[in-house]
Amino acid sequence: MIPLAHLGHWSWVFYVIPVAIVIAGIVRSTLEERRRKRGGGGKGRR
């Protein structure tokens, strides 16, 4: 078990994971928008 005194060294993980999820969502939506504008259509259209 990790001693609690050293837990602060790993606290950055709790900030990096949500930021990475948000960035991945932005990149994904940007790529989908480019595909739509290019005329790909694909799954997004109904």
Side-chain angles (χ1 to χ4, degrees):
M1 184 174 176
I2 299 174
L4 292 178
H6 297 282
L7 187 60
H9 297 291
W10 292 97
S11 63
W12 60 269
V13 173
F14 299 112
Y15 297 103
V16 170
I17 292 173
V19 169
I21 290 171
V22 169
I23 291 173
I26 292 170
V27 168
R28 181 176 175 239
S29 65
T30 302
L31 292 175
E32 286 180 0
E33 186 66 28
R34 284 186 189 170
R35 279 190 219 125
R36 273 190 227 127
K37 285 182 179 179
R38 204 170 31 184
K43 296 183 283 189
R45 292 191 172 175
R46 291 185 177 187

